[in-house]
Amino acid sequence: MLPVLKSGKDDAAVYISVQKNIAHIRIMIKQDLHIHTVYSTGDSSVVPEQTVELVAKVGHAEIIGISDHLDYLDDAAFAEYSEKIRAFGLKLGCEVDGADWVHRALEMPTDYYIYHCRDEKKQYKGLEKLLYREVPVIAAHPMMMGTKIEKLPEEVYVEINNRYVWRRDWRTFYAPHARTRKFVFGSDAHQPNWLNQTLARFAGGQLGIKETVLF
């Protein structure tokens, strides 16, 4: 029988203890670094229940990273966001909406970046600047962004995004790069029931793509 998590200020300590105790009986995906929470205050897809605490307690992946939209995080909000994520032992990321946000992103002490790379010279240049910090950079939902994978620096990780992969011809889009690029799977969860990568992993499996574990 699994222990029941109580609510309160000691949630983070309880979570870490429980995860250690039950890890051997749970089947989890390896990593999920594209997850949103209520800190993405302007995103209408995020529901009030999608808190850092809930994501941590669900524990659907061995490595969990929170990557809320940087444009909704002012300095005070980012400080609170960072503290909350670190308290639960999760990876700290942020989603960067293109080149206009790169300067601010470089000031943030994140473990990685999720980046919107539209097919414009300016956006690829912005991506290159993010690499200066020498932390992982993931090209977010490239099919929806119109990203040309062949234009990405080889250090960039290409996401297969669970939320969007089924909306386009993913075979044609990803297959030419399946053996030459480094891939990650992301849930892009905005709600608790989105905390999975079923479709992304199906597509990756069909193409023989192996996931790159970043941490």
Side-chain angles (χ1 to χ4, degrees):
M1 183 174 179
L2 299 183
V4 176
L5 293 183
K6 58 184 179 179
S7 297
K9 61 184 178 182
D10 58 345
D11 271 357
V14 173
Y15 159 73
I16 291 170
S17 174
V18 170
Q19 291 299 324
K20 290 179 180 177
N21 290 333
I22 67 175
H24 65 291
I25 60 173
R26 301 188 64 185
I27 298 174
M28 295 182 283
I29 58 180
K30 190 65 181 177
Q31 69 179 1
D32 192 0
L33 301 175
H34 195 163
I35 302 172
H36 297 278
T37 72
V38 292
Y39 283 99
S40 287
T41 53
D43 191 326
S44 61
S45 294
V46 175
V47 296
E49 296 81 6
Q50 183 77 349
T51 62
V52 174
E53 292 92 333
L54 179 70
V55 173
K57 288 176 185 179
V58 170
H60 67 297
E62 293 179 31
I63 303 164
I64 296 174
I66 306 296
S67 52
D68 277 301
H69 294 283
L70 182 60
D71 38 319
Y72 300 136
L73 293 164
D74 61 21
D75 289 346
F78 190 89
E80 178 185 311
Y81 166 76
S82 175
E83 182 179 3
K84 177 78 72 173
I85 291 169
R86 296 297 191 198
F88 282 92
L90 308 181
K91 295 299 181 182
L92 175 64
C94 66
E95 187 159 1
V96 183
D97 189 19
D100 291 343
W101 288 90
V102 165
H103 178 75
R104 184 157 189 270
L106 287 170
E107 298 175 346
M108 301 296 105
T110 55
D111 298 318
Y112 66 98
Y113 297 111
I114 304 282
Y115 183 78
H116 293 180
C117 191
R118 299 169 182 85
D119 189 27
E120 303 166 0
K121 184 176 181 180
K122 172 183 176 181
Q123 305 304 332
Y124 295 105
K125 289 291 185 183
L127 181 58
E128 291 172 5
K129 291 179 181 177
L130 279 185
L131 292 170
Y132 294 164
R133 266 201 68 218
E134 298 185 343
V135 299
V137 178
I138 299 168
H141 30 69
M143 283 197 304
M144 300 305 290
M145 290 282 96
T147 309
K148 302 296 188 212
I149 294 177
E150 61 272 17
K151 293 183 180 181
L152 297 173
E154 62 180 18
E155 304 98 313
V156 172
Y157 300 91
V158 179
E159 181 186 45
I160 301 181
N161 183 285
N162 198 69
R163 182 182 182 185
Y164 294 117
V165 66
W166 59 276
R167 297 191 183 187
R168 303 281 175 87
D169 182 358
W170 49 267
R171 290 183 186 275
T172 299
F173 184 81
Y174 286 112
H177 312 284
R179 299 289 180 269
T180 59
R181 304 303 301 232
K182 296 176 289 187
F183 288 89
V184 298
F185 302 116
S187 68
D188 200 359
H190 290 60
Q191 303 175 19
N193 55 310
W194 295 12
L195 288 167
N196 71 85
Q197 299 174 346
T198 305
L199 295 172
R201 288 180 176 275
F202 170 78
Q206 290 289 297
L207 296 173
I209 289 173
K210 295 188 181 299
E211 158 182 46
T212 301
V213 177
L214 305 190
F215 300 102

